[in-house]
Amino acid sequence: MDMKMTTKRTRLSLKEKVDVIIVREKEKLSVRDLAKKFNVGKTCIAETLKNKNEILERFENHGNINSKKDFRTEGGLAIDKAMYDWLCRALSCNAPISGTLIRDKALEVARNLGNTKFKASAGWLDRFKARHGIKFKTLCREEPPVDWSLNDWDTNLKDLCAGFSSRDIYNCDETALFFKALPDETMSLQGKTCESGRLSGERLTILLCTNMAGEFETPLIIGKENPICLDNVDLNLFSVDWRGNDKSWMTLEIMTEWLISFNNKISRQRRNIILFMDYAESHPPIELSNIKIVFFPPNTTCQPLEQGIIYNFKFNYRKCLMRYVLAHIEESVNPSELSRKINVLNAIQWVRTSIKNIKKETVVHCFVKSGFPSLLSEIYNNSPENTDPEIVSLMEALQFSNVSCESYVTIDINTLTELPLKIEDTPNLNSELKVEESDEEETKYNLAEVGQVITNKEALSQLQSLLHYYIANNDSEGVNSISKLQENLEKKLAEEKKC
């Protein structure tokens, strides 16, 4: 008589470990029940639950859901992370990359970590490339990666987009943002590059990325390093990515990391997309497993983001800023003094709100205007209305009616977003002007006592305290709810002040 015996497995794939964690949280099963459900030993389940944060992070960052190799016990995770960081730096320096170089470097890293058993085999290299979804090739910055004339661009664009749905056609681009500027600063700020000095601390670089269907990726915000107002704040609550450096500029290293992370996300979704971006020193011509990167012809303005999407974003941001100033006008002698108290966290909230308020039809229209083929081109043939009486009334209420709305919205249009090559080549790069002390009053978050709400002004103050509470407790749902309430109440207060 044949006896069928069920042999317990000794390993789980990364996806199965994530499933264990999810089932544990949803069904509250014991270790014994989980071991039975997934047909593994109790020790395997216990180790999975013990290291759940590391497992979830690896799943999010790498997305190789079938991986069963235990990086933690074999020391491979430290090697993998060190090699990933090294790779990003190498790509950011335009270094030629080869498989042999990667394997030699991995052996060096392993030795430095005291791991004498590690073998940088061809199989390890293949798995490393698969984990990070990137193909390595020699990079060259001598010539632009696109050699098409403008006359051929429309034809090539249609051919490039063939086979991609509107949801899989993307455009990304950076824009500078004077995040606390009011209309009265228009004349003094327009045309400023802000390479150093006080203004460099009042500027952010925003990377926007959207597909033709009007779906935006999480914005990347680059500012000064370690602003006090972000101490102990989990920015995941605000659905933004943050990076910091001395001049708040996009760099080749930051862009490379962002592209690899974006590729990993698309890979986990089992998708293939095409990403259009302009030719810039900070944009690496790398090959990715699930993203086809195409550069626009040099010296052109045919990007959808430049056809009105960035303008719309800044239009919305300026409204948020002026609503805030008008709602709090009684706290200062004049609007300019109040604007100096605006901090990076305020800007992060308004950036997110401004992106959410961009209409999908605006995005589709800008792609169509740039020559991208769309089945929706007839629907969105006409330019969306860009007039909004609210921003005009806000400027009048703050007594800035002598400045045009167009000038104010585009105040930072010519501001640098990356380090110019001519500066990078000079020997005095490190002899920068000293950044002046900011008047910005940045505060760490402390829970405030919530008193009885009597007026709209007091209600707004209590909402700010409640926002601090949700931030301190890492409650993203609470942060989203309070941010929306703040926006509505500031709008209401601004309306009252205009009357």
Side-chain angles (χ1 to χ4, degrees):
M1 181 178 179
D2 293 335
M3 297 289 292
K4 289 186 178 180
M5 298 183 64
T6 302
T7 303
K8 287 187 177 181
R9 296 179 296 162
T10 59
R11 291 184 182 274
L12 293 171
S13 69
L14 182 58
K15 175 62 167 61
E16 288 170 331
K17 289 180 180 180
V18 173
D19 289 340
V20 167
I21 296 169
I22 293 174
V23 171
R24 168 70 172 224
E25 293 180 351
K26 287 186 176 181
E27 302 181 19
K28 308 298 181 184
L29 297 182
S30 66
V31 172
R32 182 188 297 274
D33 292 337
L34 287 169
K36 184 177 180 181
K37 183 179 183 69
F38 288 89
N39 190 33
V40 292
K42 290 187 291 183
T43 301
C44 181
I45 295 295
E47 285 293 311
T48 298
L49 297 177
K50 178 182 177 182
N51 299 291
K52 72 174 186 177
N53 291 335
E54 177 186 308
I55 291 168
L56 292 175
E57 181 181 358
R58 192 160 77 239
F59 179 78
E60 176 67 22
N61 292 337
H62 305 308
N64 185 2
I65 63 176
N66 296 315
S67 174
K68 293 187 178 182
K69 185 168 183 177
D70 191 341
F71 285 102
R72 185 185 60 83
T73 57
E74 299 182 25
L77 181 60
I79 297 172
D80 187 88
K81 184 180 185 304
M83 285 301 300
Y84 175 79
D85 293 341
W86 171 83
L87 174 66
C88 289
R89 290 195 300 272
L91 289 173
S92 71
C93 295
N94 249 7
I97 305 296
S98 67
T100 301
L101 178 61
I102 294 169
R103 292 167 65 181
D104 290 344
K105 185 65 180 179
L107 284 173
E108 178 186 337
V109 169
R111 285 195 299 270
N112 292 337
L113 293 173
N115 189 331
T116 58
K117 296 181 179 180
F118 175 76
K119 305 292 183 184
S121 63
W124 171 86
L125 177 61
D126 290 339
R127 291 190 295 272
F128 177 78
K129 292 193 292 184
R131 275 194 298 277
H132 297 285
I134 186 170
K135 301 174 184 178
F136 309 112
K137 69 175 183 179
T138 301
L139 304 182
C140 180
R141 274 292 183 186
E142 294 179 358
E143 296 294 336
V146 175
D147 191 27
W148 296 328
S149 67
L150 288 177
N151 295 331
D152 298 330
W153 174 247
D154 288 342
T155 302
N156 284 312
L157 184 60
K158 291 180 174 60
D159 292 339
L160 287 166
C161 293
F164 290 96
S165 68
S166 60
R167 186 170 177 263
D168 294 327
I169 300 174
Y170 283 81
N171 176 213
C172 73
D173 194 21
E174 305 93 339
T175 185
L177 179 70
F178 287 127
F179 67 91
K180 57 173 71 176
L182 287 174
D184 61 340
E185 299 177 87
T186 298
M187 293 300 295
S188 62
L189 291 182
Q190 276 190 334
K192 296 289 186 180
T193 57
C194 301
E195 297 171 16
S196 59
R198 179 181 62 83
L199 290 178
S200 66
E202 298 183 356
R203 185 202 70 243
L204 300 173
T205 294
I206 315 293
L207 176 68
L208 297 177
C209 181
T210 180
N211 61 21
M212 197 170 176
E215 300 167 340
F216 282 84
E217 291 299 309
T218 300
L220 173 64
I221 304 178
I222 307 171
K224 288 286 187 177
E225 290 184 288
N226 305 318
I228 298 174
C229 66
L230 298 186
D231 282 359
N232 303 317
V233 176
D234 182 3
L235 290 177
N236 290 324
L237 300 175
F238 295 91
S239 300
V240 299
D241 289 332
W242 172 266
R243 298 290 186 275
N245 56 47
D246 290 343
K247 289 186 168 54
S248 307
W249 274 333
M250 173 62 79
T251 65
L252 194 56
E253 183 172 3
I254 291 176
M255 191 66 185
T256 300
E257 290 179 356
W258 182 84
L259 284 169
I260 293 174
S261 177
F262 187 27
N263 182 70
N264 289 336
K265 174 184 174 180
I266 297 300
S267 176
R268 290 193 296 273
Q269 295 174 352
R270 301 289 192 268
R271 295 169 59 198
N272 288 283
I273 69 169
I274 185 168
L275 173 64
F276 291 86
M277 57 186 184
D278 64 348
Y279 177 73
E281 291 295 328
S282 61
H283 293 177
I286 60 175
E287 291 186 10
L288 300 165
S289 61
N290 293 72
I291 298 179
K292 179 180 181 180
I293 296 177
V294 175
F295 290 91
F296 289 106
N299 303 317
T300 63
T301 57
C302 50
Q303 287 199 77
L305 281 161
E306 293 182 353
Q307 296 300 323
I309 298 174
I310 289 177
Y311 181 91
N312 203 269
F313 160 72
K314 293 189 176 182
F315 190 91
N316 294 337
Y317 183 91
R318 307 297 185 206
K319 285 196 299 182
C320 289
L321 187 154
M322 286 195 294
R323 281 183 202 143
Y324 172 87
V325 171
L326 192 55
H328 295 80
I329 194 65
E330 297 171 353
E331 300 174 10
S332 298
V333 177
N334 55 58
S336 296
E337 180 181 327
L338 185 58
S339 72
R340 287 195 291 269
K341 298 179 181 179
I342 292 171
N343 60 33
V344 169
L345 186 59
N346 296 129
I348 287 173
Q349 290 179 268
W350 298 336
V351 165
R352 185 185 61 174
T353 298
S354 301
I355 293 173
K356 286 184 177 180
N357 288 338
I358 298 175
K359 297 179 181 179
K360 290 188 175 181
E361 51 263 38
T362 299
V363 177
V364 175
H365 167 78
C366 291
F367 270 85
V368 172
K369 185 178 178 181
S370 297
F372 284 78
S374 173
L375 297 175
L376 303 173
S377 58
E378 294 183 2
I379 301 176
Y380 300 122
N381 189 37
N382 297 320
S383 175
E385 290 292 329
N386 223 352
T387 57
D388 186 341
E390 183 188 359
I391 194 169
V392 176
S393 63
L394 284 168
M395 293 174 69
E396 291 175 349
L398 292 170
Q399 299 181 0
F400 295 131
S401 55
N402 60 324
V403 180
S404 72
C405 175
E406 178 82 13
S407 298
Y408 178 43
V409 172
T410 60
I411 190 175
D412 38 31
I413 190 171
N414 294 319
T415 305
L416 294 175
T417 60
E418 67 176 15
L419 183 67
L421 188 61
K422 60 181 179 63
I423 296 178
E424 189 175 39
D425 290 340
T426 61
N428 297 321
L429 178 61
N430 294 324
S431 57
E432 303 169 358
L433 293 176
K434 182 179 180 181
V435 178
E436 298 177 17
E437 293 294 327
S438 174
D439 294 328
E440 171 183 350
E441 293 182 2
E442 298 188 89
T443 57
K444 297 184 180 180
Y445 292 110
N446 296 309
L447 300 185
E449 295 183 3
V450 180
Q452 182 181 1
V453 177
I454 300 175
T455 65
N456 286 336
K457 185 69 175 178
E458 291 174 349
L460 187 60
S461 176
Q462 301 308 329
L463 282 177
Q464 187 69 16
S465 297
L466 194 55
L467 176 66
H468 296 171
Y469 169 80
Y470 284 126
I471 290 174
N473 288 277
N474 294 325
D475 187 335
S476 59
E477 185 176 346
V479 167
N480 291 334
S481 300
I482 296 302
S483 295
K484 185 63 178 177
L485 290 172
Q486 279 184 310
E487 180 189 1
N488 292 336
L489 193 51
E490 285 176 355
K491 187 184 297 185
K492 186 175 181 179
L493 277 167
E495 289 295 327
E496 292 178 356
K497 299 293 173 61
K498 288 186 289 186
C499 296

